Amino acid sequence: MTIQTSLGRRSFLVKTAAVVGGLSLGFRIPADDDAAEAAEIKEINAWVVIHPDDKVVIRIARSEMGQGTLTGLAQLVAEELECDWSKVTTEFPTPGENLKRKRVWGEMGTGGSRGIRTSHQYVREGGAAAREMLIAAAAAEWKVPASECTAANSVVTHTASGRKLGYGQLAMAAAKLDPPNAVKLKDPKDWKLIGKPLKRLDTLDKLTGKQVYGIDMRLPGMLIATIKACPVHGGKLKSFDAAKVEKMPGVKKVVPVDGNAVAVVADTYWNAHTALAALPVEWDAGKLGQVQQDDVTAMLKEGLDANEAFIGNKAGDAKATIAGAAKKVEATYKFPWQAHACMEPMNATALYTPEKCEVWCGTQNGEAALAAAAEAAELPVSKCEAYKLILGGGFGRRGRADYVRQAVLIAKQMPGTPVKMIWSREEDMTQDSYHPTTMCKMTAGLDAENKLVGLHVRISGQSILAALSPQSLENGMDSRVFQGFMPGGPEAAYGYTVPNLLIDHAMRNPHVTPGFWRGVNTNQNAIYMECFMDEVAEAAGQDPLDFRLKMLKPKYAAVLKATADKAGYGKKLPDGHFHGLAQIMGYGSYVAGIAEISVSNDGVLKVHKITAGTDPGYGVNPWLIDRQVAGSFVYGLSASLYGEITIKDGAVEQTNFDSYNVMRMDEMPEVETVLVPSGGFWGGVGEPTIAVAAPAVLNGIYKATGKRIRELPLMNHDLRKGA
Amino acid sequence: MAVLNVNGKSLEANADARTPLLWVLRDTLGLTGTKYGCGIAQCGACTVLIDGVATRSCQVPLNSVGRKKITTIEGLAQDSKLTKIQQAWLELDVPQCGYCQSGMIMAATALLAAKPQPTDADIDAAMTNICRCGTYKQVREAIHAAAKA
């Protein structure tokens, strides 16, 4: 049997009409024809929709990129809603709908491990309000006071009479009620779903090929584009010779994009890709085209001793104390650019007409994607919409909307035709916004009793905000450079008590675009501080753990101690195995890591195990936290082992996984998560632990080899003894 | 016009003979479960079975396929019944973002067909697919679980 397949109109039925009867937000693919049913179903409130068959739809404002926030946020709503967890499904409201409804879903941005920690209150209140309305609807039906009714497992019960009504039966009536003025949230001791290791809600379609990522988007009549931007960031497109490729198979159009890029639009990706590769292009990189990696290093080095620097944390007089100290320790560290390398390359689909512009994409920031689409389309935001799809990895990269802008600028040159723009892996690797590069000079002074009395941390290097969000600088200072080093606050405060402290930043911004990269500035800051702490402890003649515990504030010390205990720190390890440790506070959580490593005689590093402690205040889903901790180490250790972006003639040299290696399964260490939630605050879990992997491993390497590795990646170092 | 044997069906594919199978599957046949990750056979996201052998479809030109049997992720479950490998993946909640998992499952399917009781070393050797989220531990556990099922 031969089946003629024609992709196009019948491949996916896509509903782009915004809202049907308050449900069915955005669109779904493939779509069930449930419009008739949907017209009957009203939302209880912005967060909760209940179908007559008891199906519960919980709206998720944040983006799901593998971190599990979709499941965790649903747990929070369902906890208060008192619904049957087995009936729960989720959907993403669109950014345009959020704006129309005066941001009823709050912030949609999904970065900085904020998904749960900045919305736990209002999403739980949403669930609680819906529960109260369902109870009120039942009470009205039975003509009894609501106070005589209770809700559990998607059923309201009148306690005295034993009468019961299911949520599906009550939903229509509940939707018509006014929401309660105030709701009381449960005491954490009464939680039934929060804190439970529930399975993810989004697994099945990822096992059968059904899950639609941005790159899988299809619309009737859609064309596919691929793009190449000037390899030197900041350079311009000078010219291209479209005539050379316009006759190639499938090619529809060759278009300039934003003055710095050119795209080929074709019927398939391969035809677009082949034509783009054959397209003669000239770039104008100007003087940036002469910048070499050594120039960047020299720029950063200069900042290490510069007079001017932004002060991020200060106590006493560090410089004078160090100058007069009994013992002085000094070391300089360096951290390279690293690529995000999400498995799904950047992409977006856009449909532009002079009246309307719609985009479909995986994004960590739906509202930024919408704003970028409107700006590129030169249309009011109210005439645009962004539909969020599941992300094939984000790690901070998809918080930027540069690729959305490009897709719209291409589609704008083909009005009425949907265009899916896909970056090649090479484009993804060379047009990333990289983990920023910095250097750091650490100087410590010990007194006669070997107590750390003065510490100067001089960071020199890139600011993400200066490049991506200059309006967020404070009098020129990027306070986020000091993640983990801040004097206080609930986010990223410095954990050690050092009487004379100076942490400052000489901002030096090379032309290569930096960006938010899982863990962001905690990554290098944890290496600088925690590796150097081992150096100072050694100078003080003390064990790294004991030395730290004397200076760490209580929550920091508690998590480090718990982690060390679990790892058996100080106890005998197998021959040739060594422990290294590190701690930091980031994204509102306190974390610590103990790495057990060995280095073979021929210099091969093996990370056997990482014991990772985390105190996020409350842990919503221990199973998913465990996955995030282990996953953060794969991402972080990949970078520590192999991650280095370098430039030559102003352009990024690494282009694909052959020149930018990442960790494979055979290198995966055992990870044991020590979850010690101390309650009373809500910290993040997607990022915090990533920062402790590298310094813990580096500190272990020193014990094994006597080598202080102060520059990443490790692949550049010979770990053989004596080498 | 090539006629391909995909998931037990004969499908016509109108594409240039040199087009990699990956893009024929995705763009011409609409089987988007097979993913593009690198285009140079490094990451394994595009893994399919060709006559039962795990193959990175980004490196397979259309004109080299002939009538060989191609199995993609969409062709594993029959009548919505998951294979024991998919079932193990489901029970152990393996995916995070999920993008690499089609390739992981196809590679694991070939591995278990060749070695029904693989050792950890067998798994390390066969499963060289890249996952950026870090599902490696769960992938390994799911392969062992499927081997026992």
Side-chain angles (χ1 to χ4, degrees), chain A residues 150-174:
Chain A
T150 58
N153 214 29
S154 287
V155 175
V156 180
T157 303
H158 181 233
T159 318
S161 66
R163 280 175 291 182
K164 291 179 189 294
L165 280 170
Y167 279 9
Q169 296 166 284
L170 294 166
M172 289 276 278

Side-chain angles (χ1 to χ4, degrees), chain A residues 230-242:
Chain A
C230 181
V232 179
H233 294 195
K236 301 281 170 215
L237 174 67
K238 194 168 158 192
S239 66
F240 60 93
D241 188 357

Side-chain angles (χ1 to χ4, degrees), chain A residues 200-256:
Chain A
R200 300 177 66 109
L201 295 170
D202 56 347
T203 296
L204 184 59
D205 283 353
K206 293 174 178 175
L207 310 179
T208 59
K210 281 192 187 138
Q211 181 66 61
V212 175
Y213 300 85
I215 202 168
D216 304 324
M217 190 61 204
R218 307 186 76 91
L219 289 167
M222 184 182 81
L223 296 175
I224 299 179
T226 191
I227 191 165
K228 185 166 180 60
C230 181
V232 179
H233 294 195
K236 301 281 170 215
L237 174 67
K238 194 168 158 192
S239 66
F240 60 93
D241 188 357
K244 286 272 191 333
V245 303
E246 274 169 349
K247 302 256 158 36
M248 289 177 71
V251 173
K252 306 291 182 188
K253 206 165 187 176
V254 184
V255 295

